[in-house]
Amino acid sequence: MDFCKRAPEVTDMYRISGEYNYMLKVVTASTEELVHFSERTGDFGSSYTLIVLTAPFEQKMMIGEEKVI
């Protein structure tokens, strides 16, 4: 967890159920930077990478949240 707090590429960290314990949202400027980040995480166990191709919407409001203008 400390690694993720210090890594500038990590914008969000989620504790999840299933095969893996955590899901990270990572933002890099290039695929080369993503490879470098992935190599730095190798000491923490195995992982796999999914790349967002498009984002039809982001930050959708949750039920009960007030809209911020």
Side-chain angles (χ1 to χ4, degrees):
M1 190 174 314
D2 290 336
F3 170 84
C4 292
K5 287 180 181 179
R6 290 189 312 271
E9 301 91 343
V10 178
T11 62
D12 299 280
M13 180 178 185
Y14 305 94
R15 180 76 164 98
I16 60 173
S17 63
E19 182 179 351
Y20 294 92
N21 294 322
Y22 294 95
M23 180 175 69
L24 306 177
K25 181 176 179 182
V26 175
V27 178
T28 61
S30 67
T31 54
E32 290 81 14
E33 288 183 20
L34 180 59
V35 168
H36 179 66
F37 174 82
S38 181
E39 289 170 348
R40 292 176 16 229
T41 64
D43 292 341
F44 302 103
S46 63
S47 66
Y48 69 95
T49 302
L50 302 171
I51 297 175
V52 174
L53 300 176
T54 64
F57 61 85
E58 288 186 297
Q59 299 183 8
K60 184 175 178 181
M61 287 180 26
M62 301 295 283
I63 295 174
E65 283 187 326
E66 291 186 32
K67 186 174 184 175
V68 178
I69 300 176

